[in-house]
Amino acid sequence: MKLNLTTVVALVSMAFCSSAFASSAEDIIAKEKCNKCHTEKTTKKGPSWASVAVKYKGNADAPNKIFVQLKNGGKVGDEDDHKKVEASDADIKAIAAIVLSTK
Ligand code: HEC
């Protein structure tokens, strides 16, 4: 088989995609601009990831709660409805894990 340019481009972009996939949860956090309202340590419009992690410390149901909230959007407290995250279940779980492991 002779490698033509299209094949090479396809292979290169496949390699690129698989490496992007590894950090897709972080990419989604960046793309969805979560950091407009959340940072790791500082409370902005929303609570810092670290304070969310503290709030749910020892709560075995926390990953599930955060998953449901990010998946469906809607109210958490008395604030406006929370942003809904358009991502796969696996990615949303990974985002919840990142939030809950922030110190
Ligand atoms: C427009 C501002 C805004 C954006 C953008 C935003 N959030 Fe929030 N988020 C908030 C506010 C405000 C709260 C607190 C709500 C409350 O306690 O009533 C919150 C709460 C949370 C919580 C804690 C929920 C809990 O149960 O305590 C998590 C986790 C969270 N956001 C994740 C995210 C992620 C991930 C993104 C990006 C996909 C995101 N947020 C984008 C404003 C925002």
Side-chain angles (χ1 to χ4, degrees):
M1 186 184 86
K2 212 176 127 204
L3 278 182
N4 61 27
L5 185 61
T6 319
T7 316
V8 172
V9 168
L11 287 173
V12 168
S13 60
M14 269 166 69
F16 183 76
C17 285
S18 61
S19 73
F21 185 71
S23 64
S24 63
E26 267 154 18
D27 290 348
I28 293 163
I29 290 175
K31 202 181 82 210
E32 299 276 332
K33 303 203 170 37
C34 313
N35 55 7
K36 229 173 56 189
C37 301
H38 300 283
T39 70
E40 287 191 3
K41 304 246 188 256
T42 326
T43 301
K44 288 169 89 178
K45 201 163 181 246
S48 68
W49 296 152
S51 72
V52 175
V54 167
K55 173 176 148 189
Y56 285 115
K57 198 164 188 275
N59 182 340
D61 196 36
N64 187 44
K65 270 197 151 144
I66 291 183
F67 172 79
V68 169
Q69 188 213 329
L70 295 179
K71 173 115 184 139
N72 301 330
K75 285 199 189 310
V76 185
D78 357 302
E79 302 283 333
D80 295 342
D81 284 358
H82 196 270
K83 186 179 172 63
K84 193 167 158 174
V85 185
E86 302 292 345
S88 71
D89 288 5
D91 283 340
I92 297 179
K93 281 185 188 142
I95 292 172
I98 290 175
V99 171
L100 290 170
S101 64
T102 305
K103 291 201 177 82

